[in-house]
Amino acid sequence: MTEPYYITESKRMCKASGMDPNEVSRPKNFLSEVEFAEKRKSYSEILSVVSFFSNKLLNSLKGTPILVVVSDANGYLLEIEGDETIKSTIEQFGIRLSSLFTQEDTGTSVVSLSLQQKHPISLIGEQHYHTFLHNIACYGAAFHYTDDNNLLGSVSIMMPISFQNPLFLTMLTQAVDSIERELLLRKQNKKLNIMNQIMLSRTRNGIVVTDEFGITTEFNDFAQKISNNSRESVVGRNICESSITGDYFKEVLEQGKIFENEEIKFIDNAGNLVVCLFDAQPIYEEDKMIGAFGQFRDISDRYRLQEKYNYLAYHDDLTNLPNRRYINKELAIIIQGLKAGQNRTMALLYMDLDRFKVINDNFGHSYGDELIIKVSERLSGCLGEQDVLARMGGDEFIFLLTDFSSPDYPTKKAEEILNLFHEPFQVGKKDLHTTASIGVAIYPAYPVSMERFMVYADNAMYQAKSRGKNRYVVHTSELLEDMMDEYSLEIDLRKALDNNEFVLHYQPQIHNQTGKLIGFEALIRWQHPRLGLLPPGKFIKLAEENGLITQIGEWVINEACSQNKKWQDAGMVPVKVAVNLSTQQFLTRNLITFVEEVLERTALDPHYFVVEITEYMAMEYEYSILVLNKLKSLGIGISIDDFGTGYSSLNYLKNFPIDYIKIDKSFISELMNDPNDAIIVNAIITLAHNLHKEVIAEGVETKEQLDFLTNHQCDITQGYFFSKPLPIEEIEEIYLVR
């Protein structure tokens, strides 16, 4: 692997200066005890912020032998925390607090390189110049005051090379981002004139002022309104006795502590929940503390609104149970923790009602909905303390079981659930009998993805169905023959590119206001010689797992551009063609040059080419914005796919050069049945238009859905209502001939 230029240049300089790579190169300059104490004092606030977030990083990686090192802007080491074994090892090399790290003295090191670069770096094994560091993996990043780009220092993590993981660089980057935001916030707050905060009686904030003993001297009108306490009842009393803010003020007065944006909740005299953001800090006069200042900002309405939208997004409207999005989010968090070494147990019970369609067809959907409600109520009654029940849609439910001590807890829970169906459900005046089929998947000792874990439970549930229903089946490695089928499919997949077995189908995209065709999404299919035409769901995950996805993605880009140019050269109506980028492809370093080469070779105008990325790809913020800006500079369009189902961030929409936002079909499918999805869809459209981006709705299947989207100013529609994805010949015949 080619190492970054700055590492190569650093090693060249070390060699040119005569450094022996086999000799330990120790720091040559150290701060005296007095200088070190003064330096730490001047950095005290910075170090407190850095220590807070570095300790969070250490805690999240508990069990991994790592060391966190903090330097000032010059390279003097100010903090060394973490694994004692690594700490004692580096001390043997002269690396200790107050030592100065420069390239001239210590060679190629993570501290000096971090301070030189404008981006986080990794320095792994033989990328170090000195051989005594070849068993060490290091990750580092500088941190600044971001308003003036003033360099403050660096944070580095070190570990044995056997523990290296690119994820550490992402975690460090996120920690440094948090450090910089916190430092900037503190810097800006220092610029505020504290007397203005105290004296502005017309402020919309509640203000509390005390003397040095904690006796309240000021309690403004808005503080009275927020708390429902009169000024007369508060002024003259010791604030430390307050059950709401007393502990905060005590720390301010006794320790000089500063609090910012602390969320506090209390019930006012009228019985209403009040939620405030609370700040508190000491007041000084010529370095002598003379009291404390506190302010409240009432965010009760905003809090309730946020709670409402969070609830709508993550709960089922019919049963009020958590929904599929909620379970996916929880699973992702738990699996991430398990992969990081957390010692937890987890199981999924995927449950489907037997013969539910018969009940719906015979008694109507209102009876079906009422039955679902009754079932959800009965299922909720058997939940353990660590269990979560969710409705996945239709007549499917899932139990997420965590942190159970008994290995047979999942199967006993499955038996308990089946027993709940012995008695009929009273719906209206009818007694309806139904049973359930349950698939049990217990998270294995080796890591598996969320999607695969869900498939284990889903496949086990279908096995229960096939074995006669009204039972549970536990997933095992021997359970399904299709495991071997999947292996066979993977072997075939490796030959598919060479054998030219892939084809593209194209799904039309229609402009809602004009009704005109404006583009296509290119969707891959595999013309398997034995199994026939396979949709991407049958092989894309395999391609991602075996590393073929980038090659397949490059084939899709080349094929889509070539075909679009052929259509245009044949005199057909020019349209845009969009292709999906996989995460691996997006992270490939040659993506930009490959796209540029394809556009040049095919002579396709970049205006007619669009790439689609997911929100998950955008999590690598710095890298993503760099790549997207380069893609945008080529003149192509950029779309965020499946918007609303991942790690949605307004920051992405504000800063990324995005042209289109695609609303995920999971919102569209329930648009006419679930008012919550309608609210979310309308909100996405409004937000996108305010940011001057176009909206594409995918998965539109009915006229009612189309009318809703058109009435709410959605720009573009894609879905079976207009057309399924079609092969080239049908596209040319139906849409593209002038």
Side-chain angles (χ1 to χ4, degrees):
M1 181 182 294
T2 304
E3 63 186 15
Y5 74 91
Y6 51 85
I7 295 179
T8 303
E9 179 63 16
S10 173
K11 291 163 75 170
R12 186 194 65 76
M13 292 176 64
C14 292
K15 185 175 181 180
S17 66
M19 283 189 181
D20 187 340
N22 297 313
E23 290 185 3
V24 175
S25 185
R26 303 174 183 274
K28 297 181 175 57
N29 294 288
F30 300 85
L31 295 172
S32 67
E33 287 188 17
V34 173
E35 290 172 330
F36 183 63
E38 290 178 350
K39 173 67 74 171
R40 281 186 60 87
K41 182 178 180 181
S42 68
Y43 262 69
S44 60
E45 183 179 40
I46 295 172
L47 286 176
S48 71
V49 173
V50 175
S51 294
F52 175 79
F53 288 103
S54 62
N55 284 335
K56 288 183 69 173
L57 183 62
L58 283 170
N59 289 335
S60 69
L61 297 174
K62 190 170 292 183
T64 303
I66 70 169
L67 201 66
V68 178
V69 176
V70 182
S71 81
D72 72 356
N74 296 315
Y76 283 104
L77 303 192
L78 302 181
E79 286 278 8
I80 301 177
E81 297 291 341
D83 187 81
E84 293 297 329
T85 302
I86 303 177
K87 191 184 297 186
S88 62
T89 300
I90 66 171
E91 285 177 355
Q92 298 174 17
F93 302 141
I95 301 173
R96 59 180 176 82
L97 291 175
S98 83
S99 56
L100 176 64
F101 268 69
T102 64
Q103 190 166 254
E104 292 75 18
D105 292 345
T106 56
T108 305
S109 77
V110 69
V111 176
S112 55
L113 285 180
S114 295
L115 292 170
Q116 294 171 16
Q117 301 305 312
K118 295 181 179 180
H119 54 80
I121 69 162
S122 57
L123 195 59
I124 312 295
E126 295 183 2
Q127 291 182 335
H128 292 92
Y129 179 74
H130 289 95
T131 55
F132 71 92
L133 294 173
H134 284 184
N135 289 325
I136 299 293
C138 302
Y139 303 91
F143 58 92
H144 309 72
Y145 277 133
T146 52
D147 57 337
D148 55 14
N149 203 31
N150 182 22
L151 178 64
L152 296 176
S154 71
V155 181
S156 306
I157 56 176
M158 306 173 183
M159 67 203 68
I161 195 169
S162 59
F163 288 90
Q164 65 169 310
N165 190 323
L167 179 61
F168 292 145
L169 189 61
T170 300
M171 297 174 70
L172 180 62
T173 302
Q174 293 172 341
V176 168
D177 184 53
S178 298
I179 288 168
E180 290 183 334
R181 287 200 304 270
E182 178 66 17
L183 288 175
L184 180 60
L185 179 63
R186 294 191 179 199
K187 180 180 178 182
Q188 291 171 338
N189 282 345
K190 287 177 183 177
K191 296 178 181 179
L192 296 175
N193 184 329
I194 192 167
M195 295 310 296
N196 284 342
Q197 296 180 56
I198 298 172
M199 300 304 295
L200 287 176
S201 61
R202 295 183 180 177
T203 178
R204 296 294 292 171
N205 295 341
I207 302 295
V208 183
V209 182
T210 78
D211 64 14
E212 66 268 35
F213 304 109
I215 303 302
T216 306
T217 59
E218 184 56 62
F219 195 71
N220 76 343
D221 291 343
F222 208 68
Q224 297 179 71
K225 181 179 178 181
I226 292 173
S227 67
N228 264 355
N229 290 317
S230 68
R231 187 176 188 278
E232 291 73 19
S233 67
V234 175
V235 171
R237 294 180 57 183
N238 194 313
I239 196 68
C240 297
E241 298 173 0
S242 168
S243 60
I244 300 172
T245 60
D247 290 341
Y248 294 107
F249 275 107
K250 188 173 183 181
E251 291 189 59
V252 171
L253 292 165
E254 294 180 356
Q255 304 172 29
K257 195 167 181 179
I258 296 174
F259 293 95
E260 295 176 351
N261 292 327
E262 295 287 331
E263 186 177 276
I264 60 175
K265 303 175 184 176
F266 59 91
I267 304 297
D268 65 16
N269 293 338
N272 300 312
L273 174 67
V274 179
V275 184
C276 294
L277 291 181
F278 174 67
D279 302 336
Q281 63 187 64
I283 303 172
Y284 292 98
E285 186 177 273
E286 296 181 354
D287 295 330
K288 180 180 183 299
M289 185 187 294
I290 63 170
F293 163 76
Q295 69 172 349
F296 304 83
R297 297 185 298 284
D298 189 352
I299 61 166
S300 301
D301 290 341
R302 188 175 82 190
Y303 179 86
R304 283 189 283 269
L305 186 62
Q306 185 65 48
E307 288 286 294
K308 176 183 176 182
Y309 281 121
N310 287 344
Y311 190 87
L312 290 175
Y314 289 102
H315 285 78
D316 173 56
D317 190 46
L318 179 64
T319 63
N320 288 323
L321 291 175
N323 60 14
R324 182 184 295 271
R325 293 179 203 131
Y326 180 93
I327 287 294
N328 287 346
K329 177 173 70 76
E330 290 297 302
L331 275 176
I333 293 171
I334 295 170
I335 289 176
Q336 183 180 14
L338 288 168
K339 289 180 178 178
Q342 291 180 3
N343 185 21
R344 303 186 66 181
T345 52
M346 178 171 66
L348 288 179
L349 275 57
Y350 208 122
M351 192 201 87
D352 184 89
L353 297 182
D354 298 328
R355 294 175 289 275
F356 178 72
K357 186 176 184 300
V358 175
I359 295 173
N360 251 351
D361 292 345
N362 283 278
F363 299 105
H365 288 283
S366 61
Y367 270 82
D369 287 348
E370 185 65 23
L371 175 61
I372 292 294
I373 294 171
K374 297 286 187 181
V375 168
S376 70
E377 292 172 351
R378 195 174 292 183
L379 292 175
S380 298
C382 73
L383 288 174
E385 289 186 5
Q386 303 297 324
D387 303 341
V388 176
L389 169 65
R391 183 188 179 208
M392 302 299 279
D395 61 335
E396 294 180 341
F397 296 83
I398 199 164
F399 285 80
L400 171 60
L401 314 180
T402 56
D403 301 321
F404 46 85
S405 56
S406 174
D408 62 354
Y409 180 78
T411 53
K412 285 187 174 179
K413 182 62 66 175
E415 292 171 358
E416 184 181 353
I417 294 168
L418 291 176
N419 289 334
L420 294 176
F421 290 86
H422 289 170
E423 297 296 325
F425 295 87
Q426 187 170 14
V427 179
K429 296 182 179 180
K430 299 181 183 297
D431 284 343
L432 299 182
H433 294 265
T434 186
T435 55
S437 298
I438 302 173
V440 180
I442 301 172
Y443 194 84
Y446 53 88
V448 296
S449 68
M450 177 184 72
E451 292 80 4
R452 183 170 289 274
F453 189 42
M454 291 281 281
V455 167
Y456 288 166
D458 192 40
N459 285 346
M461 184 268 289
Y462 279 107
Q463 274 291 319
K465 289 272 191 190
S466 66
R467 293 182 185 181
K469 305 180 176 63
N470 192 26
R471 68 191 65 228
Y472 71 86
V473 169
V474 180
H475 168 83
T476 65
S477 56
E478 296 83 18
L479 179 63
L480 301 174
E481 292 182 1
D482 65 2
M483 290 293 186
M484 291 303 297
D485 292 341
E486 185 176 293
Y487 178 72
S488 175
L489 200 64
E490 182 176 354
I491 296 174
D492 294 342
L493 187 61
R494 295 184 180 277
K495 305 173 186 176
L497 271 174
D498 293 336
N499 295 341
N500 199 29
E501 293 172 3
F502 293 117
V503 295
L504 289 183
H505 285 192
Y506 296 84
Q507 189 168 36
Q509 296 174 331
I510 307 298
H511 195 282
N512 289 340
Q513 298 302 323
T514 66
K516 292 183 178 179
L517 173 75
I518 65 163
F520 296 104
E521 181 178 1
L523 298 162
I524 192 169
R525 302 290 187 266
W526 180 8
Q527 189 64 57
H528 193 281
R530 178 171 50 87
L531 301 175
L533 192 67
L534 300 180
K538 293 289 187 182
F539 60 88
I540 288 298
K541 287 194 182 300
L542 274 179
E544 290 173 340
E545 291 170 0
N546 63 24
L548 288 173
I549 191 65
T550 298
Q551 292 173 263
I552 293 173
E554 290 179 348
W555 178 88
V556 171
I557 291 174
N558 184 73
E559 183 70 14
C561 290
S562 298
Q563 184 59 59
N564 201 9
K565 181 60 176 172
K566 288 178 184 176
W567 283 333
Q568 294 183 17
D569 289 345
M572 298 177 182
V573 177
V575 293
K576 298 175 187 284
V577 172
V579 302
N580 294 282
L581 294 182
S582 70
T583 302
Q584 293 178 33
Q585 190 177 9
F586 185 68
L587 296 174
T588 302
R589 298 295 173 181
N590 70 340
L591 173 64
I592 309 299
T593 54
F594 177 79
V595 172
E596 191 173 17
E597 184 273 328
V598 169
L599 291 171
E600 183 177 345
R601 176 166 42 78
T602 61
L604 178 69
D605 185 339
H607 173 73
Y608 295 110
F609 183 57
V610 177
V611 295
E612 296 186 3
I613 68 168
T614 65
E615 294 170 292
Y616 179 80
M617 299 179 199
M619 288 179 66
E620 295 284 352
Y621 180 81
E622 297 295 339
Y623 176 80
S624 299
I625 199 166
L626 176 67
V627 172
L628 293 176
N629 280 328
K630 287 183 178 179
L631 286 171
K632 191 64 180 173
S633 68
L634 299 179
I636 69 177
I638 298 173
S639 175
I640 285 278
D641 197 12
D642 301 335
F643 186 79
T645 63
Y647 301 86
S648 303
S649 170
L650 299 183
N651 202 38
Y652 304 157
L653 302 185
K654 181 181 74 172
N655 295 327
F656 287 178
I658 300 164
D659 301 291
Y660 307 98
I661 294 173
K662 294 190 77 172
I663 303 175
D664 185 66
K665 60 186 177 183
S666 67
F667 293 104
I668 304 301
S669 63
E670 293 296 320
L671 194 58
M672 309 314 298
N673 301 322
D674 189 340
N676 298 333
D677 280 342
I679 291 171
I680 292 171
V681 168
N682 189 34
I684 293 173
I685 295 171
T686 302
L687 175 63
H689 285 170
N690 287 338
L691 292 172
H692 308 294
K693 304 179 190 307
E694 291 191 273
V695 181
I696 302 174
E698 57 181 346
V700 176
E701 298 184 356
T702 68
K703 186 176 187 304
E704 290 78 12
Q705 292 170 347
L706 176 62
D707 289 343
F708 177 93
L709 293 165
T710 302
N711 291 336
H712 287 80
Q713 308 304 312
C714 178
D715 303 289
I716 300 163
T717 293
Q718 173 183 342
Y720 275 45
F721 178 75
F722 289 108
S723 173
K724 66 179 182 180
L726 299 173
I728 294 170
E729 298 78 12
E730 293 185 43
I731 289 292
E732 292 175 350
E733 179 181 349
I734 299 172
Y735 292 100
L736 297 176
V737 177
R738 289 187 184 274

